[in-house]
Every structure is written in structure tokens, then in C-alpha cells.
Amino acid sequence: AQTVTQSQPEMSVQEAETVTLSCTYDTSENNYYLFWYKQPPSRQMILVIRQEAYKQQNATENRFSVNFQKAAKSFSLKISDSQLGDTAMYFCAFQGGKLIFGQGTELSVKP
Amino acid sequence: DGGITQSPKYLFRKEGQNVTLSCEQNLNHDAMYWYRQDPGQGLRLIYYSQIVNDFQKGDIAEGYSVSREKKESFPLTVTSAQKNPTAFYLCASSMGVGTDTQYFGPGTRLTVL
């Protein structure tokens, strides 16, 4: 069975600095997708970034980028130039069929 | 404006009552999903539907029921058999089931009094 682990329950960062959120997963599949979702205080789940496992190039969306290490089954999210609006719960998710979520990392951006 | 809507935003239920949560999408997606979120936890899949008039149980289907009579709509009924229904419920949709990206609605907070 696939599992997703986020080992950092809480993190904080100063505004304008860079922060990295960790995620590891376990699977025997070769073709799958990985996601980072953001859940702000409104609790709406918002897609941040998506990575296809067959692509070696790391996905990037503006200030958000990932470090995808397929052999190590690691999928970290880097947020550059952190903004107050980035304060949220961040979920890593694995999809090889069903979408499986990690427990989440609560990120606080401090002014 | 394309998207997923859920209603109501907040719902209160007395013990022993069934309640129905609404989920509508105008994205022309074939697949729809219901998830439950408890404090400090990730999302857990309740039910999903790949196509109209078809749906499958997820990991925690006991005490819940769904229907899919229209492509746009996937209502979830929380029955009195659900022992601990107080939670945040999220609906999602995607083009298909498998590896297509899921997009989420704003959620419904259900509280049992």
C-alpha cells in the first residue's frame, strides 16, 4: 500500500525568506503523480504544484518549486520569497490511482 | 465561472438524523469524490464516482451513501449509522479517475449536536 509521510507538523519562516517542506512516499509503482496542495484558514484545498514521476525535470510554479528525487522517494516543496498569504496547511499527495494525502505541515509566515 | 460548489458551508445535525451535503461542478468532469477531514489529519476518501449512475466505496464508506444521477452533481448523505460524523467534508472532481488532477470545492463543516 502507498503511504505519504510529512515529518514536519509545523514550520515557520520570516517574510521574504525561503522555506522547504519535506515529503517522502512509499510505492512499488513506476508511473504516478505527486502533488502539493495548500489549505489556508478558509479550508479550501488549492492545488500548488504537480509533478509527473516520468519527468526528470522538477516542476516550478512562480515562487513554488519542487525537488523530486524518484530513487529516494522524496518530494520536497520550496517556497521562495515567502509572503504572509502563504500561511496555510500544506499537504503532499501521491496518486497512482487513488489520491493519498500526508498528514500535513502547518506553515506560518511571520512579518 | 467554472468551479465546484458545496452547500451548505456549515451544517448542524441532531443525533439520529440523516443529512445530505450538496456538491455541484460545472467543469464537465466525469469523476467526482467525497473526502472527510478530521483535525490534524489528512483527507480520507469516502466515495468516488467515475461516471453517472456508478460509484465506488472508498476507505471509510460505512455510514455514508451517495448518488450520481447527473454528471454535475454528487450529493453525500451522512446517515445515523455514522458513529462520529462531526468533521469537515470536501468534494472534488477530475477529468477521469486515475492520474488526473483533482480540484476541490470549499467544503462543508458538519457538527452533530
Side-chain angles (χ1 to χ4, degrees):
Chain A
Q2 292 95 353
T3 58
V4 178
T5 303
Q6 294 179 248
S7 58
Q8 306 150 314
E10 299 178 357
M11 295 189 73
S12 66
V13 63
Q14 291 296 128
E15 197 175 6
E17 292 187 348
T18 296
V19 64
T20 298
L21 280 59
S22 301
C23 174
T24 58
Y25 58 95
D26 189 23
T27 184
S28 57
E29 296 184 26
N30 194 44
N31 294 320
Y32 51 87
Y33 292 76
L34 294 161
F35 302 85
W36 279 97
Y37 283 91
K38 166 185 176 180
Q39 188 177 41
S42 67
R43 303 200 74 176
Q44 170 103 43
M45 194 72 78
I46 300 165
L47 176 68
V48 175
I49 202 163
R50 164 183 155 126
Q51 173 80 44
E52 293 90 344
Y54 62 86
K55 287 188 178 178
Q56 292 186 346
Q57 186 173 5
N58 290 323
T60 300
E61 287 288 341
N62 300 314
R63 298 182 295 107
F64 299 88
S65 61
V66 298
N67 183 4
F68 173 48
Q69 301 290 328
K70 191 173 183 179
K73 296 179 183 173
S74 171
F75 184 61
S76 61
L77 175 69
K78 185 172 85 170
I79 306 174
S80 304
D81 186 25
S82 296
Q83 301 176 358
L84 296 177
D86 294 334
T87 291
M89 184 75 84
Y90 287 81
F91 290 96
C92 178
F94 168 97
Q95 187 170 38
K98 200 168 59 173
L99 188 60
I100 299 168
F101 288 85
Q103 299 289 82
T105 295
E106 187 169 5
L107 177 67
S108 297
V109 180
K110 300 184 184 304
Chain B
D1 232 2
I4 304 170
T5 58
Q6 291 185 242
S7 62
K9 189 173 177 64
Y10 299 97
L11 186 57
F12 297 90
R13 187 194 95 173
K14 292 183 180 178
E15 283 194 24
Q17 287 182 337
N18 293 353
V19 289
T20 297
L21 283 59
S22 169
C23 177
E24 304 273 336
Q25 55 97 2
N26 61 3
L27 300 169
N28 200 32
H29 285 170
D30 285 319
M32 297 186 74
Y33 312 80
W34 275 105
Y35 292 91
R36 170 181 171 138
Q37 186 179 29
D38 292 288
Q41 296 191 30
L43 279 63
R44 293 183 291 168
L45 182 64
I46 304 172
Y47 267 99
Y48 66 99
S49 169
Q50 300 184 66
I51 198 169
V52 173
N53 292 323
D54 180 67
F55 47 83
Q56 307 294 327
K57 291 182 179 180
D59 299 319
I60 55 166
E62 185 176 350
Y64 300 97
S65 66
V66 294
S67 63
R68 186 90 185 273
E69 297 177 2
K70 298 187 299 181
K71 186 175 183 176
E72 302 80 16
S73 178
F74 191 41
L76 173 74
T77 296
V78 184
T79 74
S80 57
Q82 169 50 235
K83 293 177 181 165
N84 185 20
T86 294
F88 188 64
Y89 291 87
L90 284 156
C91 177
S93 71
S94 65
M95 289 291 290
V97 171
T99 53
D100 288 325
T101 300
Q102 293 185 24
Y103 297 93
F104 287 81
T108 293
R109 171 70 184 175
L110 172 63
T111 303
V112 174
L113 303 173

